[in-house]
Amino acid sequence: MLQRTWLLGLVLAAAPVGCNKSSGICMNAGCEASVPVVVVDDGQPGGRLRAGSYTFRVATDYAEKTWSCELPAEDCALDFFTDFEDGEDSGTLSIMGRAGETGLELEVLETRGNIWSGPAKFVVAVERDGAPVVEETFEPRYEEPLVPDACAVCLKRKGGDLVVHVPAE
């Protein structure tokens, strides 16, 4: 899966939280709060997505991102970050993606104040050549770390890998 420390997001979001540390950043740089998801093609070796024009959508209750690319000419790369409002609460949604030998690899991260995790519920949808091929809804469960950070809570997802299966034709 993609390897990313969410340091930039941590810097952006930790500032308004009001950490008591002088640096303003009190999150462990090794925080693995993002949720990895892979989109695989069941009709291709290793899950690699077959050639075509793709549109991908990742949506939570508060924010979403849709992007398009052409495979195999492009790697469908995405590095997306947006703020959202949820009543009196605010947060950020960050999505990273890249197509490779084993399908489209995604990482989804949501922050709310000092809570860092994947979203409580989100949808991954895939269209190929203008036709919807799959839409999957996930509701991951998270656990708190044994040793919490001084200012932020980095929740880690429990359970097996999250996979979206594009059916073989």
Side-chain angles (χ1 to χ4, degrees), residues 117-155:
S117 71
K121 180 179 179 182
F122 66 100
V123 173
V124 176
V126 180
E127 289 183 10
R128 183 178 53 236
D129 299 327
V133 291
V134 66
E135 181 173 300
E136 186 80 36
T137 301
F138 296 102
E139 295 185 55
R141 297 187 182 262
Y142 302 94
E143 61 188 1
E144 291 192 30
L146 295 175
V147 181
D149 190 276
C151 293
V153 178
C154 180
L155 302 181

Side-chain angles (χ1 to χ4, degrees), residues 19-35:
C19 285
N20 293 326
K21 299 204 177 198
S22 60
S23 69
I25 302 172
C26 53
M27 176 70 83
N28 180 343
C31 174
E32 295 180 12
S34 64
V35 175

Side-chain angles (χ1 to χ4, degrees), residues 2-7 9-10 27-37 92-96 106-120 122 140-145 149 152-158 162:
L2 296 171
Q3 296 294 317
R4 177 176 185 175
T5 59
W6 298 93
L7 198 51
L10 297 173
M27 176 70 83
N28 180 343
C31 174
E32 295 180 12
S34 64
V35 175
V37 180
T92 62
L93 174 67
S94 177
I95 305 168
M96 283 191 61
L106 298 170
E107 286 194 22
V108 184
L109 175 69
E110 185 177 280
T111 64
R112 292 172 177 272
N114 70 336
I115 306 294
W116 300 78
S117 71
F122 66 100
R141 297 187 182 262
Y142 302 94
E143 61 188 1
E144 291 192 30
D149 190 276
V153 178
C154 180
L155 302 181
K156 187 173 182 177
R157 185 186 59 82
K158 296 191 301 187
L162 301 183

Side-chain angles (χ1 to χ4, degrees), residues 24-87:
I25 302 172
C26 53
M27 176 70 83
N28 180 343
C31 174
E32 295 180 12
S34 64
V35 175
V37 180
V38 64
V39 179
V40 298
D41 192 324
D42 289 343
Q44 296 294 312
R48 178 181 211 138
L49 297 175
R50 70 188 78 193
S53 178
Y54 285 85
T55 300
F56 301 101
R57 180 174 59 90
V58 176
T60 70
D61 289 338
Y62 308 103
E64 81 174 54
K65 177 62 177 171
T66 301
W67 72 104
S68 298
C69 60
E70 187 76 31
L71 287 173
E74 301 173 77
D75 67 3
C76 300
L78 176 70
D79 192 354
F80 173 76
F81 185 87
T82 189
D83 296 321
F84 65 83
E85 295 295 324
D86 173 18

